[in-house]
Amino acid sequence: MSTALCPGSFDPPTNGHIDVIERCLDVFERVVVGVIHNPSKSPLFSAEERVGLLEDLLTDHPRVEVGSFEGLLVDYAKTVDARVIVKGLRAVTDFDYEFQMAQMNYELANMDTMFVATSPVYSYLSSSLVKEVARLGGNVDSLVPPLVAQRLQEKFYG
Ligand code: PNS
């Protein structure tokens, strides 16, 4: 069975993330969504919260599994038996860093990376901007699933 690993911070998951994951399902039989848990960073949503959000958002997709990892991505890829890492590319500005990581992961473990060009409607979308807009009271309803919009509202406005 061919498995793709979609890794990321997902702080929080956006419509762009869901789009990439759903498009992976057209190509791969199994998709593992890997949420990074980096103890030296302070995300808005804990790793447990991000995993819970993604599980709820992807509940209609039985071929998707959600997990979290610490340390090297290639080590996690091996534990979930992933053949390939899949990342979304929004614009050329993403390319340099993503290409560097892809080459490093190949060097470390012969792990291939494939890129999905995100839908143009999501090309400007990032979790950081979503957080900023939500924190400043802007409407994020068209950028994130309703559950995420609700959780952002609770985080910032209680
Ligand atoms: O959503 P993001 O922030 O673009 O995700 C970045 C992520 C989690 C894919 C990246 O930070 C990562 O792979 N971290 C694991 C650490 C690692 O393996 N580093 C060495 C290879 S580049």
Side-chain angles (χ1 to χ4, degrees), residues 7-9 36 69 71-73 87 101 104-105:
S9 306
I36 188 158
F69 71 99
L72 283 177
L73 178 61
K87 301 285 312 267
M101 286 200 288
M104 181 59 79
N105 287 328

Side-chain angles (χ1 to χ4, degrees), residues 27-141:
V27 182
F28 297 94
E29 290 162 48
R30 175 174 167 253
V31 175
V32 176
V33 180
V35 175
I36 188 158
H37 172 53
N38 185 345
S40 65
K41 286 202 174 168
S42 6
L44 179 63
F45 294 92
S46 69
E48 293 74 23
E49 287 175 314
R50 285 174 279 149
V51 168
L53 277 171
L54 284 158
E55 280 174 345
D56 286 345
L57 298 173
L58 296 163
T59 189
D60 289 340
H61 297 299
R63 290 184 290 120
V64 175
E65 291 162 37
V66 184
S68 68
F69 71 99
E70 271 186 70
L72 283 177
L73 178 61
V74 290
D75 290 340
Y76 182 62
K78 275 182 229 162
T79 66
V80 297
D81 208 21
R83 164 69 186 86
V84 66
I85 293 165
V86 177
K87 301 285 312 267
L89 277 184
R90 288 167 297 193
V92 271
T93 41
D94 281 341
F95 185 77
D96 274 351
Y97 182 55
E98 293 294 344
F99 196 61
Q100 238 182 333
M101 286 200 288
Q103 287 182 315
M104 181 59 79
N105 287 328
Y106 191 78
E107 174 65 26
L108 288 171
N110 284 355
M111 178 60 65
D112 282 311
T113 301
M114 292 182 184
F115 295 106
V116 174
T118 57
S119 302
V121 282
Y122 302 132
S123 62
Y124 61 92
L125 192 49
S126 73
S127 296
S128 316
L129 277 183
V130 164
K131 279 184 283 194
E132 183 171 325
V133 171
R135 183 172 55 82
L136 298 172
N139 188 326
V140 294
D141 289 352

